[in-house]
Short mmCIF file of all heavy atoms in Angstrom, two decimals:
data_model
loop_
_atom_site.label_atom_id
_atom_site.label_comp_id
_atom_site.label_asym_id
_atom_site.label_seq_id
_atom_site.Cartn_x
_atom_site.Cartn_y
_atom_site.Cartn_z
N ALA A 1579 -18.63 -2.46 -39.36
CA ALA A 1579 -17.51 -1.68 -38.84
C ALA A 1579 -17.19 -1.92 -37.42
O ALA A 1579 -16.22 -1.43 -36.86
CB ALA A 1579 -17.78 -0.20 -39.10
N GLY A 1580 -18.03 -2.70 -36.70
CA GLY A 1580 -17.90 -2.90 -35.27
C GLY A 1580 -16.85 -4.01 -34.95
O GLY A 1580 -16.18 -4.50 -35.86
N GLY A 1581 -16.73 -4.36 -33.73
CA GLY A 1581 -15.73 -5.26 -33.22
C GLY A 1581 -15.84 -6.65 -33.85
O GLY A 1581 -14.82 -7.21 -34.30
N VAL A 1582 -17.02 -7.26 -33.80
CA VAL A 1582 -17.14 -8.61 -34.46
C VAL A 1582 -17.32 -8.45 -35.98
O VAL A 1582 -16.86 -9.16 -36.73
CB VAL A 1582 -18.35 -9.28 -33.84
CG1 VAL A 1582 -18.64 -10.65 -34.56
CG2 VAL A 1582 -18.14 -9.63 -32.36
N GLY A 1583 -18.02 -7.41 -36.35
CA GLY A 1583 -18.33 -7.20 -37.76
C GLY A 1583 -17.08 -7.00 -38.65
O GLY A 1583 -16.97 -7.56 -39.73
N ASN A 1584 -16.15 -6.20 -38.15
CA ASN A 1584 -14.94 -5.92 -38.95
C ASN A 1584 -14.12 -7.15 -39.08
O ASN A 1584 -13.51 -7.43 -40.14
CB ASN A 1584 -14.12 -4.77 -38.35
CG ASN A 1584 -13.09 -5.23 -37.39
OD1 ASN A 1584 -12.00 -5.62 -37.82
ND2 ASN A 1584 -13.40 -5.20 -36.09
N ALA A 1585 -14.11 -8.06 -38.08
CA ALA A 1585 -13.39 -9.33 -38.18
C ALA A 1585 -14.12 -10.25 -39.12
O ALA A 1585 -13.46 -10.97 -39.89
CB ALA A 1585 -13.34 -9.95 -36.76
N ALA A 1586 -15.43 -10.22 -39.15
CA ALA A 1586 -16.19 -11.05 -40.07
C ALA A 1586 -15.93 -10.63 -41.53
O ALA A 1586 -15.82 -11.57 -42.36
CB ALA A 1586 -17.68 -11.00 -39.75
N VAL A 1587 -15.83 -9.33 -41.80
CA VAL A 1587 -15.52 -8.90 -43.07
C VAL A 1587 -14.16 -9.45 -43.50
O VAL A 1587 -13.91 -9.97 -44.63
CB VAL A 1587 -15.57 -7.36 -43.22
CG1 VAL A 1587 -15.08 -6.94 -44.56
CG2 VAL A 1587 -17.00 -6.93 -43.00
N GLN A 1588 -13.17 -9.24 -42.69
CA GLN A 1588 -11.80 -9.70 -42.96
C GLN A 1588 -11.70 -11.25 -43.19
O GLN A 1588 -11.12 -11.69 -44.19
CB GLN A 1588 -10.85 -9.39 -41.85
CG GLN A 1588 -10.61 -7.85 -41.66
CD GLN A 1588 -9.57 -7.57 -40.58
OE1 GLN A 1588 -8.45 -7.96 -40.71
NE2 GLN A 1588 -10.06 -6.97 -39.43
N LEU A 1589 -12.38 -11.98 -42.34
CA LEU A 1589 -12.31 -13.41 -42.47
C LEU A 1589 -13.11 -13.86 -43.70
O LEU A 1589 -12.68 -14.81 -44.39
CB LEU A 1589 -12.86 -14.07 -41.20
CG LEU A 1589 -12.01 -13.85 -39.92
CD1 LEU A 1589 -12.71 -14.39 -38.69
CD2 LEU A 1589 -10.64 -14.60 -40.13
N GLY A 1590 -14.31 -13.29 -43.93
CA GLY A 1590 -15.10 -13.63 -45.05
C GLY A 1590 -14.28 -13.44 -46.40
O GLY A 1590 -14.28 -14.33 -47.27
N HIS A 1591 -13.56 -12.33 -46.46
CA HIS A 1591 -12.74 -12.05 -47.60
C HIS A 1591 -11.60 -13.13 -47.67
O HIS A 1591 -11.36 -13.68 -48.72
CB HIS A 1591 -12.15 -10.67 -47.51
CG HIS A 1591 -11.10 -10.34 -48.58
ND1 HIS A 1591 -11.42 -10.16 -49.89
CD2 HIS A 1591 -9.76 -10.22 -48.53
CE1 HIS A 1591 -10.36 -9.89 -50.58
NE2 HIS A 1591 -9.31 -9.92 -49.75
N ALA A 1592 -11.00 -13.48 -46.60
CA ALA A 1592 -9.93 -14.40 -46.54
C ALA A 1592 -10.38 -15.85 -46.90
O ALA A 1592 -9.66 -16.59 -47.50
CB ALA A 1592 -9.26 -14.46 -45.19
N TYR A 1593 -11.63 -16.10 -46.56
CA TYR A 1593 -12.20 -17.42 -46.80
C TYR A 1593 -12.65 -17.58 -48.28
O TYR A 1593 -13.11 -18.62 -48.72
CB TYR A 1593 -13.32 -17.73 -45.92
CG TYR A 1593 -12.98 -17.96 -44.48
CD1 TYR A 1593 -13.99 -17.94 -43.47
CD2 TYR A 1593 -11.72 -18.06 -44.03
CE1 TYR A 1593 -13.74 -18.07 -42.16
CE2 TYR A 1593 -11.38 -18.21 -42.67
CZ TYR A 1593 -12.39 -18.24 -41.77
OH TYR A 1593 -12.13 -18.34 -40.46
N GLY A 1594 -12.56 -16.46 -49.01
CA GLY A 1594 -12.98 -16.55 -50.46
C GLY A 1594 -14.45 -16.21 -50.71
O GLY A 1594 -14.93 -16.52 -51.86
N ALA A 1595 -15.11 -15.59 -49.77
CA ALA A 1595 -16.51 -15.22 -49.98
C ALA A 1595 -16.61 -13.89 -50.66
O ALA A 1595 -15.64 -13.08 -50.63
CB ALA A 1595 -17.27 -15.29 -48.68
N GLU A 1596 -17.75 -13.62 -51.32
CA GLU A 1596 -18.10 -12.28 -51.77
C GLU A 1596 -18.78 -11.58 -50.69
O GLU A 1596 -19.92 -11.89 -50.35
CB GLU A 1596 -18.97 -12.40 -53.00
CG GLU A 1596 -19.41 -11.03 -53.64
CD GLU A 1596 -20.29 -11.13 -54.75
OE1 GLU A 1596 -20.26 -12.21 -55.40
OE2 GLU A 1596 -21.06 -10.21 -54.99
N VAL A 1597 -18.20 -10.53 -50.07
CA VAL A 1597 -18.66 -9.91 -48.83
C VAL A 1597 -19.35 -8.64 -49.11
O VAL A 1597 -18.88 -7.73 -49.80
CB VAL A 1597 -17.50 -9.58 -47.89
CG1 VAL A 1597 -18.11 -8.99 -46.54
CG2 VAL A 1597 -16.74 -10.90 -47.61
N THR A 1598 -20.61 -8.52 -48.69
CA THR A 1598 -21.38 -7.28 -48.72
C THR A 1598 -21.50 -6.74 -47.27
O THR A 1598 -21.88 -7.46 -46.38
CB THR A 1598 -22.85 -7.46 -49.30
OG1 THR A 1598 -22.68 -7.82 -50.63
CG2 THR A 1598 -23.60 -6.19 -49.16
N ALA A 1599 -21.06 -5.52 -47.03
CA ALA A 1599 -21.00 -5.00 -45.68
C ALA A 1599 -22.02 -3.84 -45.57
O ALA A 1599 -22.10 -3.01 -46.33
CB ALA A 1599 -19.60 -4.44 -45.45
N LEU A 1600 -22.73 -3.94 -44.41
CA LEU A 1600 -23.64 -2.80 -44.06
C LEU A 1600 -23.08 -2.10 -42.93
O LEU A 1600 -22.73 -2.64 -41.86
CB LEU A 1600 -25.02 -3.40 -43.63
CG LEU A 1600 -25.86 -4.12 -44.69
CD1 LEU A 1600 -27.23 -4.55 -44.20
CD2 LEU A 1600 -26.05 -3.24 -46.01
N ALA A 1601 -22.97 -0.71 -43.10
CA ALA A 1601 -22.33 0.08 -42.04
C ALA A 1601 -22.86 1.52 -42.21
O ALA A 1601 -23.59 1.79 -43.09
CB ALA A 1601 -20.81 0.02 -42.15
N ARG A 1602 -22.39 2.36 -41.31
CA ARG A 1602 -22.73 3.80 -41.44
C ARG A 1602 -22.02 4.37 -42.67
O ARG A 1602 -20.97 3.94 -43.05
CB ARG A 1602 -22.26 4.58 -40.23
CG ARG A 1602 -23.08 4.29 -38.96
CD ARG A 1602 -22.76 5.31 -37.86
NE ARG A 1602 -23.67 5.16 -36.71
CZ ARG A 1602 -23.86 6.07 -35.77
NH1 ARG A 1602 -23.24 7.26 -35.88
NH2 ARG A 1602 -24.62 5.84 -34.79
N ALA A 1603 -22.60 5.42 -43.19
CA ALA A 1603 -22.09 6.01 -44.42
C ALA A 1603 -20.61 6.43 -44.30
O ALA A 1603 -19.79 6.30 -45.13
CB ALA A 1603 -22.98 7.20 -44.86
N ALA A 1604 -20.32 6.93 -43.08
CA ALA A 1604 -18.98 7.49 -42.79
C ALA A 1604 -17.95 6.36 -42.74
O ALA A 1604 -16.73 6.55 -42.83
CB ALA A 1604 -18.91 8.24 -41.54
N ASN A 1605 -18.41 5.04 -42.59
CA ASN A 1605 -17.47 3.96 -42.46
C ASN A 1605 -17.37 3.08 -43.66
O ASN A 1605 -16.75 2.03 -43.61
CB ASN A 1605 -17.91 3.08 -41.26
CG ASN A 1605 -17.74 3.79 -39.95
OD1 ASN A 1605 -16.92 4.73 -39.84
ND2 ASN A 1605 -18.44 3.39 -38.94
N LEU A 1606 -17.97 3.42 -44.79
CA LEU A 1606 -18.00 2.57 -45.93
C LEU A 1606 -16.61 2.36 -46.53
O LEU A 1606 -16.28 1.25 -46.94
CB LEU A 1606 -18.96 3.15 -46.98
CG LEU A 1606 -20.40 3.22 -46.54
CD1 LEU A 1606 -21.28 3.70 -47.71
CD2 LEU A 1606 -20.90 1.86 -46.00
N ASP A 1607 -15.71 3.40 -46.58
CA ASP A 1607 -14.42 3.19 -47.07
C ASP A 1607 -13.62 2.33 -46.19
O ASP A 1607 -12.82 1.53 -46.59
CB ASP A 1607 -13.73 4.58 -47.24
CG ASP A 1607 -14.20 5.36 -48.43
OD1 ASP A 1607 -14.87 4.77 -49.36
OD2 ASP A 1607 -13.98 6.59 -48.49
N PHE A 1608 -13.89 2.41 -44.85
CA PHE A 1608 -13.22 1.58 -43.92
C PHE A 1608 -13.51 0.14 -44.15
O PHE A 1608 -12.57 -0.74 -44.18
CB PHE A 1608 -13.66 1.99 -42.48
CG PHE A 1608 -13.17 1.05 -41.37
CD1 PHE A 1608 -11.90 0.88 -41.05
CD2 PHE A 1608 -14.13 0.29 -40.71
CE1 PHE A 1608 -11.47 0.02 -40.06
CE2 PHE A 1608 -13.78 -0.58 -39.64
CZ PHE A 1608 -12.44 -0.73 -39.33
N VAL A 1609 -14.77 -0.27 -44.30
CA VAL A 1609 -15.10 -1.62 -44.46
C VAL A 1609 -14.66 -2.17 -45.88
O VAL A 1609 -14.32 -3.32 -46.00
CB VAL A 1609 -16.55 -1.95 -44.24
CG1 VAL A 1609 -16.86 -1.71 -42.72
CG2 VAL A 1609 -17.48 -1.16 -45.13
N ARG A 1610 -14.58 -1.32 -46.84
CA ARG A 1610 -14.10 -1.75 -48.18
C ARG A 1610 -12.61 -2.06 -47.95
O ARG A 1610 -12.11 -3.08 -48.60
CB ARG A 1610 -14.25 -0.59 -49.18
CG ARG A 1610 -15.69 -0.41 -49.65
CD ARG A 1610 -15.69 0.57 -50.87
NE ARG A 1610 -17.02 1.01 -51.18
CZ ARG A 1610 -17.61 2.18 -50.79
NH1 ARG A 1610 -16.89 3.01 -50.11
NH2 ARG A 1610 -18.84 2.45 -51.11
N GLY A 1611 -11.87 -1.37 -47.15
CA GLY A 1611 -10.50 -1.58 -46.97
C GLY A 1611 -10.19 -2.82 -46.22
O GLY A 1611 -9.12 -3.42 -46.27
N LEU A 1612 -11.24 -3.40 -45.55
CA LEU A 1612 -11.13 -4.62 -44.78
C LEU A 1612 -11.34 -5.85 -45.75
O LEU A 1612 -11.05 -6.96 -45.41
CB LEU A 1612 -12.11 -4.76 -43.69
CG LEU A 1612 -11.95 -3.67 -42.55
CD1 LEU A 1612 -13.15 -3.87 -41.62
CD2 LEU A 1612 -10.63 -3.81 -41.89
N GLY A 1613 -11.89 -5.63 -46.96
CA GLY A 1613 -12.08 -6.71 -47.91
C GLY A 1613 -13.52 -6.82 -48.44
O GLY A 1613 -13.81 -7.80 -49.17
N ALA A 1614 -14.41 -5.86 -48.09
CA ALA A 1614 -15.81 -5.96 -48.58
C ALA A 1614 -15.79 -5.69 -50.08
O ALA A 1614 -15.26 -4.64 -50.50
CB ALA A 1614 -16.65 -4.97 -47.82
N THR A 1615 -16.49 -6.52 -50.82
CA THR A 1615 -16.70 -6.28 -52.27
C THR A 1615 -17.63 -5.13 -52.46
O THR A 1615 -17.47 -4.25 -53.34
CB THR A 1615 -17.21 -7.54 -52.89
OG1 THR A 1615 -16.32 -8.61 -52.61
CG2 THR A 1615 -17.31 -7.32 -54.40
N THR A 1616 -18.67 -5.12 -51.60
CA THR A 1616 -19.73 -4.06 -51.64
C THR A 1616 -20.00 -3.54 -50.19
O THR A 1616 -20.09 -4.33 -49.29
CB THR A 1616 -21.07 -4.70 -52.16
OG1 THR A 1616 -20.82 -5.23 -53.48
CG2 THR A 1616 -22.14 -3.61 -52.32
N ALA A 1617 -20.06 -2.26 -50.11
CA ALA A 1617 -20.24 -1.58 -48.86
C ALA A 1617 -21.46 -0.57 -48.96
O ALA A 1617 -21.48 0.21 -49.88
CB ALA A 1617 -19.04 -0.85 -48.30
N LEU A 1618 -22.49 -0.74 -48.10
CA LEU A 1618 -23.69 0.02 -48.29
C LEU A 1618 -24.08 0.66 -46.97
O LEU A 1618 -23.91 0.11 -45.87
CB LEU A 1618 -24.83 -0.89 -48.75
CG LEU A 1618 -24.58 -1.69 -50.03
CD1 LEU A 1618 -25.70 -2.64 -50.19
CD2 LEU A 1618 -24.62 -0.60 -51.18
N ASP A 1619 -24.69 1.89 -47.01
CA ASP A 1619 -25.13 2.60 -45.85
C ASP A 1619 -26.38 1.91 -45.29
O ASP A 1619 -27.38 1.83 -46.00
CB ASP A 1619 -25.45 4.00 -46.31
CG ASP A 1619 -26.01 4.87 -45.24
OD1 ASP A 1619 -26.09 4.40 -44.06
OD2 ASP A 1619 -26.43 6.05 -45.45
N HIS A 1620 -26.24 1.40 -44.10
CA HIS A 1620 -27.35 0.69 -43.52
C HIS A 1620 -28.56 1.55 -43.26
O HIS A 1620 -29.71 1.06 -43.12
CB HIS A 1620 -26.94 -0.05 -42.19
CG HIS A 1620 -26.70 0.96 -40.96
ND1 HIS A 1620 -27.69 1.53 -40.30
CD2 HIS A 1620 -25.57 1.50 -40.53
CE1 HIS A 1620 -27.23 2.34 -39.36
NE2 HIS A 1620 -25.94 2.33 -39.49
N GLY A 1621 -28.39 2.88 -43.21
CA GLY A 1621 -29.53 3.76 -42.95
C GLY A 1621 -30.34 4.04 -44.18
O GLY A 1621 -31.52 4.44 -44.02
N THR A 1622 -29.86 3.81 -45.40
CA THR A 1622 -30.60 4.08 -46.54
C THR A 1622 -30.81 2.91 -47.53
O THR A 1622 -31.69 3.03 -48.40
CB THR A 1622 -29.85 5.19 -47.41
OG1 THR A 1622 -28.58 4.71 -47.76
CG2 THR A 1622 -29.73 6.48 -46.58
N VAL A 1623 -30.19 1.78 -47.26
CA VAL A 1623 -30.32 0.66 -48.07
C VAL A 1623 -31.72 0.07 -48.05
O VAL A 1623 -32.36 0.05 -47.01
CB VAL A 1623 -29.27 -0.42 -47.70
CG1 VAL A 1623 -29.59 -1.01 -46.37
CG2 VAL A 1623 -29.16 -1.52 -48.77
N ARG A 1624 -32.21 -0.39 -49.14
CA ARG A 1624 -33.46 -1.06 -49.30
C ARG A 1624 -33.21 -2.59 -49.35
O ARG A 1624 -32.67 -3.08 -50.34
CB ARG A 1624 -34.27 -0.61 -50.52
CG ARG A 1624 -34.74 0.86 -50.37
CD ARG A 1624 -35.31 1.31 -51.75
NE ARG A 1624 -36.53 0.45 -52.04
CZ ARG A 1624 -37.74 0.65 -51.57
NH1 ARG A 1624 -38.00 1.68 -50.76
NH2 ARG A 1624 -38.69 -0.16 -51.92
N LEU A 1625 -33.54 -3.28 -48.27
CA LEU A 1625 -33.13 -4.67 -48.13
C LEU A 1625 -33.61 -5.51 -49.31
O LEU A 1625 -32.85 -6.41 -49.84
CB LEU A 1625 -33.65 -5.23 -46.85
CG LEU A 1625 -32.98 -4.68 -45.57
CD1 LEU A 1625 -33.46 -5.44 -44.35
CD2 LEU A 1625 -31.47 -4.76 -45.63
N PRO A 1626 -34.90 -5.37 -49.74
CA PRO A 1626 -35.35 -6.24 -50.85
C PRO A 1626 -34.51 -6.16 -52.13
O PRO A 1626 -34.61 -6.98 -52.97
CB PRO A 1626 -36.79 -5.81 -51.06
CG PRO A 1626 -37.24 -5.23 -49.76
CD PRO A 1626 -35.99 -4.57 -49.27
N GLU A 1627 -33.77 -5.03 -52.26
CA GLU A 1627 -33.04 -4.85 -53.51
C GLU A 1627 -31.63 -5.45 -53.42
O GLU A 1627 -30.83 -5.36 -54.39
CB GLU A 1627 -32.93 -3.31 -53.75
CG GLU A 1627 -34.30 -2.70 -54.01
CD GLU A 1627 -34.21 -1.16 -54.25
OE1 GLU A 1627 -33.09 -0.68 -54.17
OE2 GLU A 1627 -35.23 -0.53 -54.41
N LEU A 1628 -31.31 -6.01 -52.30
CA LEU A 1628 -29.93 -6.52 -52.14
C LEU A 1628 -29.73 -7.86 -52.80
O LEU A 1628 -28.56 -8.29 -53.02
CB LEU A 1628 -29.57 -6.70 -50.64
CG LEU A 1628 -29.40 -5.40 -49.80
CD1 LEU A 1628 -29.16 -5.78 -48.34
CD2 LEU A 1628 -28.30 -4.56 -50.40
N GLY A 1629 -30.82 -8.55 -53.14
CA GLY A 1629 -30.64 -9.92 -53.67
C GLY A 1629 -30.62 -10.96 -52.60
O GLY A 1629 -31.06 -10.71 -51.47
N ARG A 1630 -30.06 -12.10 -52.91
CA ARG A 1630 -30.02 -13.22 -52.00
C ARG A 1630 -28.60 -13.55 -51.56
O ARG A 1630 -27.65 -13.34 -52.32
CB ARG A 1630 -30.61 -14.49 -52.65
CG ARG A 1630 -32.15 -14.32 -52.92
CD ARG A 1630 -32.94 -14.38 -51.63
NE ARG A 1630 -34.39 -14.19 -51.84
CZ ARG A 1630 -35.02 -13.09 -51.77
NH1 ARG A 1630 -34.37 -11.98 -51.49
NH2 ARG A 1630 -36.36 -13.06 -51.97
N PHE A 1631 -28.50 -14.01 -50.27
CA PHE A 1631 -27.21 -14.35 -49.74
C PHE A 1631 -27.19 -15.75 -49.25
O PHE A 1631 -28.12 -16.28 -48.70
CB PHE A 1631 -26.89 -13.35 -48.59
CG PHE A 1631 -26.69 -11.98 -49.00
CD1 PHE A 1631 -27.77 -11.11 -49.12
CD2 PHE A 1631 -25.40 -11.47 -49.36
CE1 PHE A 1631 -27.66 -9.76 -49.52
CE2 PHE A 1631 -25.35 -10.13 -49.79
CZ PHE A 1631 -26.45 -9.36 -49.96
#
Side-chain angles (χ1 to χ4, degrees):
V1582 175
N1584 91 83
V1587 172
Q1588 293 184 65
L1589 292 172
H1591 174 71
Y1593 294 166
E1596 179 185 331
V1597 183
T1598 296
L1600 296 184
R1602 290 192 175 199
N1605 290 338
L1606 298 184
D1607 285 343
F1608 169 68
V1609 294
R1610 288 189 191 99
L1612 298 174
T1615 304
T1616 304
L1618 301 170
D1619 178 3
H1620 71 79
T1622 60
V1623 69
R1624 294 175 56 86
L1625 294 184
E1627 297 176 0
L1628 290 179
R1630 294 290 181 261
F1631 294 88

